[in-house]
Amino acid sequence: MNISDFHPGEDYTNQEIVEAFKCGNMGGMRKSKQTNTLVIFVKHGQCYHADEWRGDILNYTGMGKTGDQRIDYSQNKTLAESNTNSIKLHLFESRTPGAYNYSGEVELAADPFTATEPDANGHDRTVIKFPLRLKK
C-alpha cells in the first residue's frame, strides 16, 4: 500500500499507516524522513486533551503529556514550521480504538496559540494548539 492509496473517509489500521508512511507506530505525531510526511492522529474521547473541530478548523494539541509544552520541541517544531519546511501533513481521526479514519492532507491554517489544559496527571499546564484545516 502506498500513500496515494489512502482515501478520505476510509478506515485504516495502525500497521497499514506505518507501512505506507514509513513512520513510527506510536504517538500523536509521527514524522517520516523517507516520505517527507508528518502523520497526525486525533483520538476523540480516548485522550486527556481536547482536540476539537470548530467549523473547518481543527485545534490540535501539541506533543508533551506532562508539564508545559514548547513550540520548539520535537514534532511541535516540525508542525509549527510546516508552511515553510515542505513537509506534508496527513490527518487520521479515531473514535474507536484500532480504527483510524483518514481525513486527508491538512495544513496549518493560522499561527499556533497557547491554552491551559490539564496534563496526563490532571495538573494545569500550557499547551500549544495548532489550527489545522483540510487542504482543498
Side-chain angles (χ1 to χ4, degrees), residues 31-104:
K31 184 178 179 181
S32 171
K33 290 182 180 178
Q34 285 181 279
T35 60
N36 195 39
T37 56
L38 182 64
V39 183
I40 299 168
F41 292 84
V42 173
K43 294 182 176 182
H44 296 287
Q46 302 170 54
C47 288
Y48 52 88
H49 54 72
D51 297 321
E52 64 179 350
W53 285 97
R54 292 195 178 196
D56 65 345
I57 301 294
L58 171 67
N59 288 317
Y60 180 75
T61 308
M63 286 183 81
K65 293 183 180 184
T66 58
D68 292 341
Q69 293 182 350
R70 295 189 352 245
I71 194 86
D72 61 348
Y73 171 71
S74 192
Q75 303 322 325
N76 288 347
K77 181 176 181 178
T78 302
L79 184 50
E81 296 174 351
S82 62
N83 285 339
T84 58
N85 65 12
S86 77
I87 198 161
K88 293 189 182 328
L89 311 174
H90 293 267
L91 177 64
F92 288 85
E93 297 183 72
S94 175
R95 291 187 183 349
T96 57
Y100 300 95
N101 190 273
Y102 182 55
S103 298

Side-chain angles (χ1 to χ4, degrees), residues 85-133:
N85 65 12
S86 77
I87 198 161
K88 293 189 182 328
L89 311 174
H90 293 267
L91 177 64
F92 288 85
E93 297 183 72
S94 175
R95 291 187 183 349
T96 57
Y100 300 95
N101 190 273
Y102 182 55
S103 298
E105 195 172 338
V106 294
E107 63 189 352
L108 197 57
D111 289 336
F113 60 94
T114 59
T116 301
E117 288 184 359
D119 67 12
N121 299 321
H123 301 108
D124 279 351
R125 47 94 175 247
T126 300
V127 297
I128 310 295
K129 293 289 192 172
F130 295 92
L132 304 175
R133 73 172 158 236

